[in-house]
Amino acid sequence: IELLVDYSRNQRGHGSEVRIVKVMELLKMYGAHANRVIGQLETNAKYFENGEKDYPRSLSLGKAKLVRETIREIKASVDKPRLIYLPK
């Protein structure tokens, strides 16, 4: 869950407006479990709203909107799919 949030912000810029859609879809699959990263998602949304360096402002704003929509959906979710932990 945390890696998805990190990747949503730190992926390479070119084409990231397309990739972030899939990242947010994957994050929403965790349902209520993703509530633990709401703060990080809020930070990412603000980062996108302020504009990414060397990246079109309109695309950054679109990413911010998508992240905010994802936050709303996560907050509204009551689903708690079974999590599978990978061995170390």
Side-chain angles (χ1 to χ4, degrees):
I1 294 172
E2 286 78 5
L3 288 174
L4 287 169
V5 176
D6 182 65
Y7 183 69
S8 70
R9 177 168 173 177
N10 296 307
Q11 62 182 307
R12 290 185 177 226
H14 181 75
S16 63
E17 72 279 1
V18 175
R19 288 188 302 275
I20 197 168
V21 173
K22 184 63 175 175
V23 172
M24 293 297 111
E25 287 173 5
L26 289 169
L27 191 57
K28 288 186 283 188
M29 290 173 63
Y30 286 98
H33 295 295
N35 274 304
R36 68 186 194 217
V37 294
I38 294 293
Q40 291 170 276
L41 287 170
E42 289 283 357
T43 299
N44 289 359
K46 288 176 189 171
Y47 172 76
F48 295 138
E49 287 168 346
N50 290 326
E52 300 166 84
K53 185 179 181 196
D54 301 323
Y55 194 75
R57 178 132 175 89
S58 63
L59 296 179
S60 278
L61 291 174
K63 290 180 358 180
K65 180 181 176 190
L66 177 63
V67 171
R68 295 227 181 261
E69 290 170 359
T70 300
I71 291 168
R72 281 191 294 278
E73 288 185 44
I74 290 170
K75 284 181 174 181
S77 179
V78 293
D79 294 333
K80 285 193 170 185
R82 182 173 178 264
L83 299 180
I84 300 170
Y85 293 91
L86 302 175
K88 293 181 181 181

